[in-house]
Amino acid sequence: MAYSSDEIIKREILDTLGHETKGIKLRIFPQSSNEDQKPFSEGGLTFGFEGVSYGSCDAAWYVDEQWVDGLNGKEINKKPVIALEGTDALSRNSAGNALYQRFHHALGGVKNGIVGVYYLKKGTQKIQPDLYGMAYFASKIEKGKYLITDDLTVVKDLLECYHDPVAFSAYIDAYLEKMHELFITKFNAAYGGDWEKFAEQRSTIIQNGYVIKYAGRMRRNFTDGSQRAGHIAVGEMFLTKYYFYDKKFYYLFPKMTHKDLEVLDHSKTTDKEWFLLRNEPNVEIKTMDDIAGLDKECREALLSIQDTPLKGDAMRTFNKCMKTIVEGFKSGKYKLT
């Protein structure tokens, strides 16, 4: 019988780390269960901040101390210290931005001041260096720290030194620097250390005070659950947000209109990925309707492929329009409203 990714990760956590380490207790639901969907303060494994849930984790370690849940304001006598989201994706031929799609689950813990760990079990693929960068920069501006690893020994080390604050902090700082080195080595090799070159190759426009990330999403991407576009869009959102953490971030979907956003806002009221896209601080979704000065010809071309997947002629049309739009923003001809 083949185990699911969740089952594999949870079994490995229990086999490697057990139920308790130096008085730090593990909360985990090894069997299939919806209990993890509850907020941590209500017995679950979901973390969030100021009413926004970032998704459930696979495990969390806690001590018997007072803690206020940032998601709902409840005060409890169990204080989480590590929140872990795991995946077996590296053994399932997942690569590229598919690996970003669970980044936000442990981020909920990080926003609460907890150490978040995104554990990608070793497999045939390697961890995308982008993930190290995302977590490193997130750790610069969020309350907690975010670690990316393919080795549960990192969690064991954290638990072993937790009761010594100096050693705990030093371990985290050293690990963050290691993550940054992995990220910057790849960044320098791929883009020569040049953020403008990164922007050209990664559908990004860098302006004074703000950054635009554009993507050829269409409404159907978010209503067809099999496409998991919501998860990937959220992952790409956090990549841009944290890479450019000192700038306002506009997430531009030029194939979509205000009407598309209205439909999704009304139909996706319980969809946590769409909710994150619409409520993440310092992030705004924009559509073709928000591009002031957009040429009539370009708008009509985008509308003609609004519901068409980006391949063949549709891809050529999209690329032609985006060349016009990117040049328009850079020259000052276009602005976002």
Side-chain angles (χ1 to χ4, degrees), residues 107-208:
L107 182 63
V110 177
K111 284 179 176 272
N112 272 275
I114 301 164
V115 175
V117 176
Y118 185 17
Y119 167 61
L120 298 99
K121 180 180 170 63
K122 285 187 175 73
T124 55
Q125 304 292 319
K126 297 289 185 185
I127 293 177
Q128 279 284 322
D130 278 338
L131 277 171
Y132 294 119
M134 292 163 68
Y136 174 82
F137 292 120
S139 299
K140 281 187 168 295
I141 61 171
E142 302 296 355
K143 290 171 64 180
K145 304 299 182 185
Y146 200 163
L147 309 184
I148 306 291
T149 185
D150 60 3
D151 186 352
L152 282 180
T153 300
V154 172
V155 179
K156 184 177 181 181
D157 291 343
L158 288 169
L159 295 171
E160 292 284 348
C161 67
Y162 173 75
H163 294 294
D164 181 342
V166 174
F168 189 65
S169 179
Y171 184 92
I172 291 171
D173 289 346
Y175 196 85
L176 286 171
E177 287 308 310
K178 177 182 172 183
M179 284 172 32
H180 183 256
E181 184 64 28
L182 290 166
F183 159 73
I184 204 68
T185 298
K186 178 65 176 179
F187 183 81
N188 288 340
Y191 310 109
D194 185 342
W195 283 103
E196 287 294 342
K197 190 172 181 181
F198 167 88
E200 288 175 11
Q201 297 183 26
R202 300 291 290 269
S203 305
T204 304
I205 306 166
I206 302 172
Q207 300 284 72
N208 286 332

Side-chain angles (χ1 to χ4, degrees), residues 47-336:
F47 294 93
F49 195 67
E50 295 183 341
V52 179
S53 167
Y54 284 76
S56 61
C57 291
D58 289 317
W61 288 262
Y62 65 93
V63 293
D64 294 327
E65 295 178 17
Q66 293 295 111
W67 180 69
V68 177
D69 191 335
L71 176 60
N72 53 24
K74 288 187 177 180
E75 185 171 341
I76 60 173
N77 60 359
K78 291 179 173 57
K79 177 185 175 183
V81 296
I82 299 173
L84 181 146
E85 172 66 6
T87 180
D88 191 35
L90 297 179
S91 296
R92 298 170 186 247
N93 293 321
S94 287
N97 60 9
L99 297 179
Y100 309 160
Q101 60 181 291
R102 304 192 75 78
F103 177 86
H104 57 286
H105 287 239
L107 182 63
V110 177
K111 284 179 176 272
N112 272 275
I114 301 164
V115 175
V117 176
Y118 185 17
Y119 167 61
L120 298 99
K121 180 180 170 63
K122 285 187 175 73
T124 55
Q125 304 292 319
K126 297 289 185 185
I127 293 177
Q128 279 284 322
D130 278 338
L131 277 171
Y132 294 119
M134 292 163 68
Y136 174 82
F137 292 120
S139 299
K140 281 187 168 295
I141 61 171
E142 302 296 355
K143 290 171 64 180
K145 304 299 182 185
Y146 200 163
L147 309 184
I148 306 291
T149 185
D150 60 3
D151 186 352
L152 282 180
T153 300
V154 172
V155 179
K156 184 177 181 181
D157 291 343
L158 288 169
L159 295 171
E160 292 284 348
C161 67
Y162 173 75
H163 294 294
D164 181 342
V166 174
F168 189 65
S169 179
Y171 184 92
I172 291 171
D173 289 346
Y175 196 85
L176 286 171
E177 287 308 310
K178 177 182 172 183
M179 284 172 32
H180 183 256
E181 184 64 28
L182 290 166
F183 159 73
I184 204 68
T185 298
K186 178 65 176 179
F187 183 81
N188 288 340
Y191 310 109
D194 185 342
W195 283 103
E196 287 294 342
K197 190 172 181 181
F198 167 88
E200 288 175 11
Q201 297 183 26
R202 300 291 290 269
S203 305
T204 304
I205 306 166
I206 302 172
Q207 300 284 72
N208 286 332
Y210 67 94
V211 62
I212 301 169
K213 165 77 175 177
Y214 59 91
R217 305 274 177 213
M218 53 187 178
R219 189 200 306 176
R220 183 154 57 90
N221 291 148
F222 296 98
T223 56
D224 182 349
S226 66
Q227 299 188 22
R228 294 186 69 79
H231 273 78
I232 295 173
V234 168
E236 290 180 338
M237 173 185 77
F238 283 121
L239 181 145
T240 306
K241 169 174 174 154
Y242 289 125
Y243 276 16
F244 299 94
Y245 61 85
D246 56 346
K247 290 180 179 289
K248 175 75 177 180
F249 169 27
Y250 297 107
Y251 203 173
L252 175 62
F253 297 153
K255 289 175 63 183
M256 292 172 63
T257 64
H258 285 170
K259 181 66 177 176
D260 291 318
L261 295 188
E262 289 175 13
V263 170
L264 290 170
D265 285 342
H266 283 93
S267 64
K268 307 285 285 182
T269 54
T270 60
D271 185 290
K272 66 176 182 295
E273 278 71 36
W274 184 251
F275 194 74
L276 281 175
L277 286 167
R278 297 294 271 161
N279 290 278
E280 180 63 19
N282 205 38
V283 178
E284 285 186 44
I285 293 180
K286 297 292 186 180
T287 73
M288 70 170 85
D289 290 338
D290 297 303
I291 304 175
L294 182 62
D295 300 9
K296 181 181 178 182
E297 181 182 350
C298 191
R299 178 181 173 84
E300 290 179 348
L302 289 168
L303 287 171
S304 74
I305 58 169
Q306 189 177 25
D307 299 316
T308 307
L310 287 182
K311 55 186 178 182
D313 289 342
M315 178 60 90
R316 283 187 281 276
T317 298
F318 181 75
N319 287 340
K320 182 179 178 182
C321 289
M322 286 316 305
K323 183 179 180 184
T324 300
I325 290 171
V326 170
E327 289 173 352
F329 279 119
K330 288 185 174 179
S331 69
K333 178 182 177 184
Y334 294 162
K335 294 187 182 301
L336 285 174

